[in-house]
Amino acid sequence: MIDNDLTKICLMICFDKITDIFCIVDEFCEDFEKFSEPFLLGNKPKKKPRMSTSEVITITLLFHLSGFRTFKHFYIYYVQKHMTQDFPQTVSYNRFVELMQSALMPMTLFAKTCCLGTCTGISFVDSTPIRVCKNKRIKRNKVFKDIATTGKSTMGWFHGFKLHIIINDKGELLSFCVTQANVDDREPLKNESFLQSIFGKLLGDKGYISEKLTQLLFVDGIQLITSWKKHLFYFSTNL
C-alpha cells in the first residue's frame, strides 16, 4: 500500500527534467567554486564528499517538486530507492543533512540568480516565521544564540527568523530575504535590492499598512495595496 502511494507521489516529478536541472546547477556550482576559492579560509579537505554540491542542491530542489511532506521520507523512501541511476552514491540521511548545511550558500545564490521569475506588474509580498525552537524552550535554547530573536506573527509569538518573499501572479518567486524575528514586515520594503525588479501593484496584508511606505514606494513606481480590517483596500491618496 505504501509503495503504491509513493509511486503516485513520485509521478509528480518530471523525470525528463532531472538531467536538465542537474546540468544547470552543476554549471553554476563550477562558477561558484572558481569565484569563492580565493576567499576560503584554511586548507581544503583532503577527501572530497561522496556526493557533490551539485547533487545535494538538485535533490533539495526536487523535493519541492515531489509532493512529499517531509524531506526525510523523500530522501530515504524515494531518492535512495528509486533514483539510484541518477544518484548512484547516496549517503546516509544524517550525512546528507550535514552536506545540505555546507551547500546553503551556493544554493541561496543559485536561487537568487537562476530561479527567480519575471515581474508582471502584479506582485504579492508576505513573511513567514522560521522557528529555531518551541516557545517553551526559548530561554534554554542555544541554537543561533545571540542571533535569533523573538517576534510575533499572525500565528503568535515565535523565536527564530523571518522569511520575506515576493511572488508574481503566476506564483513565481521574485525576491526573498531572511531577517531576525523582531524585524517589522515593512522593513525589507525599504531596501532597494529587495525590490530591484518589482514594479506595478504590490499586494500585502495588514502588516504592511503604512502611509509613509506607500508614498515612498510610489516614487519608485510601485503601488502598495494592503487589506484593511473590514476587508477593504488601503492605498495612498496620491495614487
Side-chain angles (χ1 to χ4, degrees), residues 31 75 104 116 136 145 148 155 183 211:
D31 294 336
Y75 183 77
L104 179 60
L116 298 182
K136 295 181 180 180
K145 185 178 181 181
M155 302 299 291
V183 173
E211 185 176 358

Side-chain angles (χ1 to χ4, degrees), residues 71-159:
F71 180 80
K72 185 175 183 179
H73 286 84
F74 169 70
Y75 183 77
I76 295 177
Y77 296 111
Y78 181 53
V79 175
Q80 291 190 314
K81 288 187 176 181
H82 302 283
M83 300 185 70
T84 54
Q85 293 183 351
D86 299 293
F87 306 100
Q89 297 192 8
T90 57
V91 296
S92 65
Y93 171 74
N94 291 336
R95 176 55 179 160
F96 190 88
V97 172
E98 295 177 354
L99 294 176
M100 289 177 67
Q101 297 175 10
S102 62
L104 179 60
M105 178 61 72
M107 184 168 61
T108 302
L109 294 177
F110 176 76
K112 277 282 188 181
T113 57
C114 302
C115 299
L116 298 182
T118 304
C119 183
T120 62
I122 300 178
S123 308
F124 302 85
V125 60
D126 203 356
S127 67
T128 184
I130 303 177
R131 296 176 173 84
V132 299
C133 69
K134 295 183 178 179
N135 290 347
K136 295 181 180 180
R137 299 184 57 190
I138 291 178
K139 293 183 179 179
R140 297 183 288 110
N141 179 67
K142 296 182 180 180
V143 179
F144 292 107
K145 185 178 181 181
D146 299 327
I147 300 178
T149 57
T150 302
K152 190 176 183 180
S153 68
T154 54
M155 302 299 291
W157 292 95
F158 70 98
H159 186 71

Side-chain angles (χ1 to χ4, degrees), residues 9-76:
I9 294 176
C10 295
L11 290 175
M12 298 177 65
I13 300 180
C14 299
F15 292 95
D16 58 332
K17 298 296 182 181
I18 294 178
T19 303
D20 295 340
I21 295 174
F22 174 79
C23 290
I24 296 173
V25 173
D26 189 57
E27 184 177 352
F28 172 84
C29 288
E30 288 183 3
D31 294 336
F32 175 80
E33 291 177 0
K34 292 178 182 178
F35 175 80
S36 61
E37 186 175 1
F39 303 97
L40 296 178
L41 300 177
N43 299 323
K44 289 184 178 181
K46 297 181 180 180
K47 186 178 180 180
K48 291 185 178 181
R50 193 163 69 178
M51 295 190 71
S52 66
T53 303
S54 305
E55 291 177 308
V56 174
I57 295 178
T58 301
I59 291 175
T60 306
L61 294 176
L62 291 175
F63 163 67
H64 295 283
L65 302 174
S66 66
F68 279 80
R69 292 187 176 182
T70 63
F71 180 80
K72 185 175 183 179
H73 286 84
F74 169 70
Y75 183 77
I76 295 177

